[in-house]
Amino acid sequence: MADPTGFLTVRERELPPKRPVPLRLLDHREIQQRQDGAAFIRQAGRCMDCGVPFCHRGCPLGNLIPEFNDAMWRGQTARASELLHATNNFPEFTGRACPAPCEDSCVLGINQPAVTIKNVEVTIIDRAFEQGLVTPQVPERMSGRTVAVVGSGPAGLACAQQLTRAGHAVVVYEREDRAGGLLRYGIPDFKLEKHHIDRRLEQMRAEGTRFRTGIEVGVDLSWEELAARVDAVVVCTGAVVPRELAVPGAELDGVHFAMDYLVPANRRQAGDELGGELIDAAGKHVVVIGGGDTGSDCIGTALRQQAASVTSLAIGRRPPGERPEDQPWPTVPRVFEVSTSHEEGGERRFLASTVRAVGDEHGRVRALSVARTEYTEAGRVPEPGTEEEIPADLVLIAMGFSGPETQALEDWGLGLSGRVLGRAADYSTALPGVFVAGDAGRGQSLIVWAIAEGRAAAAAVDAHLSGATALPSPVTAHDRALAV
Ligand SMILES: Cc1cc2nc3c(=O)[nH]c(=O)nc-3n(C[C@H](O)[C@H](O)[C@H](O)COP(=O)(O)OP(=O)(O)OC[C@H]3O[C@@H](n4cnc5c(N)ncnc54)[C@H](O)[C@@H]3O)c2cc1C
Ligand code: SF4
């Protein structure tokens, strides 16, 4: 155990400093700063090393949290890094962008603020890289079996790394020009700078994973052709088909899906020449429809592009500030969240139902007509007579994602389960040797679930190819978060 009395003597949760808002709005660099020294040790020392550490259950990866808290409290970075990598291929991604369900289930959270687990995680991995502790793990022997992983988001990367280390020859196919999936082109730099991805890709290449970018399977190469070339295929193609805004005026110029806005904005930060592809919020009244992660990333990006105003609309009620009684510990509660983008500016409106987008004589959006949401037996509807117009030159639809693109995969013979790709608990599908992992089978989720699924699918593929496996399988394809 770290400090036996830490949780009694240090009752306050101290998080690392963030860059001041006026400064961080001048660039797209990461917001979070490092917490080193005494404050970090004090916080790691609050961990109680619980007999039944519920933090493990909250984390789909089953991270060895009390063990790495203890190691860091003792200053043992190498040991902490080993413990962390035993369950998580990419702690630098989760340590930056995970909403940390482990902290919602931390036992200390029953009557005190939870241990700062996520900050311990990111400190371990940043120090481990700085100290040269993260090196390629080249397999000792090759199996002679080949695997194609399609999609290079966190699910595909985790799956590929596990299988490569198990001795299989793995090729990752990616339709974009760079690997990383939503880590690269969804999540903005201010949450996750992209050199973290490049550094991991370098490690993966040195281990033997090969990457083929700019190839869309199902278009440039058929799924059948790909499957004929290899011993197993893992489909990790994500789930980014957007939910549509079904109101009059949604087709107006200036109304865009969030990803059509975020992807080029991320490309610009990568230094790409974009031409007309960039949607610039500079000087515009921006309205973001949808109150989730994607909406929040749009707000932060629009503020950095110097929008004239940013308003975000959520159709539901403002969630409570504290964990409600019907969402008890250790579940992940639905509470009012203030993301780093919300701290930076803009107005947040709740109970706001979009009625229509209003255009000018050139077919460009100029306003959004919004009514108060009424809860009825038929669901949430706009309350008649409460409509008002909000000025809007740029409307960003961030209402979530309905599921993956499935047509080519269905034509190939994969089935659906609702709107996502169907698979058994062990990630296998109706087609022998074909597996599905990540958002493609789960629906839009979290990085941590994608990594956990990628690891578990790798174990299933290894067992399929080798008859047995020593790879870990932290979650089944049917496991769900600890939610109410
Ligand atoms: C804007 C945004 C912000 C988010 N922020 C967070 C956050 O802060 N924290 C968090 O935990 N989660 C966040 N998420 C969710 C998280 O990013 C996803 O759950 C996660 O990336 C899913 O991983 P994946 O590997 O399954 O799929 P993806 O990351 O979507 O990767 C799929 C990859 O497959 C490729 N692909 C698709 N079809 C083909 C094909 N036919 N051939 C070749 N390649 C193909 C795609 O180009 C893509 O690169 C966010 C999501 C979005 C959209
Ligand atoms: S539940 Fe919290 S206090 Fe207990 S072991 Fe996990 S991190 Fe430490």
Side-chain angles (χ1 to χ4, degrees), residues 93-94 96-99 150-157 173-176 178-183 185-188 191 215-219 223 236-240 258-259 262 293-295 297 401 405 409 437-440 443-451:
F93 306 153
T94 43
R96 288 182 163 75
C98 186
V150 184
S152 66
L157 292 181
Y173 290 84
E174 169 56 56
R175 66 183 171 191
E176 296 288 350
R178 298 182 181 95
L182 288 174
L183 301 170
Y185 288 131
I187 299 173
K191 272 165 61 180
I215 296 181
E216 180 163 5
V217 181
V219 175
W223 287 96
C236 301
T237 46
V240 288
M259 292 306 286
L262 289 175
D293 256 350
T294 309
D297 291 346
F401 300 89
E405 296 156 41
L409 289 157
D439 283 1
Q444 187 66 227
S445 179
L446 294 175
I447 299 166
V448 69
W449 277 98
I451 298 175

Side-chain angles (χ1 to χ4, degrees), residues 348-419:
R348 294 174 79 178
R349 291 196 182 195
F350 293 89
L351 287 174
S353 289
T354 306
V355 179
R356 69 191 177 99
V358 186
D360 63 15
E361 64 278 21
H362 307 294
R364 268 205 70 82
V365 68
R366 66 162 183 79
L368 213 56
S369 172
V370 174
R372 199 183 139 79
T373 306
E374 191 178 2
Y375 282 75
T376 69
E377 279 181 6
R380 296 183 292 198
V381 295
E383 188 180 328
T386 62
E387 295 86 0
E388 60 170 315
E389 275 191 12
I390 303 177
D393 319 300
L394 175 60
V395 174
L396 299 172
I397 306 168
M399 294 167 28
F401 300 89
S402 62
E405 296 156 41
T406 58
Q407 195 55 61
L409 289 157
E410 282 184 79
D411 293 347
W412 182 33
L414 288 192
L416 294 188
S417 165
R419 294 182 174 205

Side-chain angles (χ1 to χ4, degrees), residues 294-358:
T294 309
S296 157
D297 291 346
C298 290
I299 295 171
T301 305
L303 289 169
R304 280 165 181 73
Q305 290 177 347
Q306 303 192 339
S309 71
V310 181
T311 309
S312 81
L313 308 178
I315 193 169
R317 297 189 179 98
R318 186 186 198 273
E322 303 220 330
R323 187 189 275 282
E325 271 183 21
D326 64 346
Q327 296 171 40
W329 173 91
T331 60
V332 178
R334 280 185 294 274
V335 290
F336 181 66
E337 301 211 348
V338 180
S339 72
T340 52
S341 296
H342 296 133
E343 290 168 358
E344 291 164 357
E347 187 193 351
R348 294 174 79 178
R349 291 196 182 195
F350 293 89
L351 287 174
S353 289
T354 306
V355 179
R356 69 191 177 99
V358 186

Side-chain angles (χ1 to χ4, degrees), residues 56-63 87 155 423-428 436-438 442 445-460 471-482:
H56 283 200
R57 263 213 78 195
C59 176
L61 288 163
N63 276 347
T87 58
R423 69 238 173 112
D426 69 352
Y427 304 87
S428 63
V436 170
R442 177 170 291 274
S445 179
L446 294 175
I447 299 166
V448 69
W449 277 98
I451 298 175
E453 286 214 2
R455 288 170 69 80
L471 294 179
S473 186
V475 287
T476 76
H478 299 163
D479 283 341
R480 289 290 173 262
L482 267 178

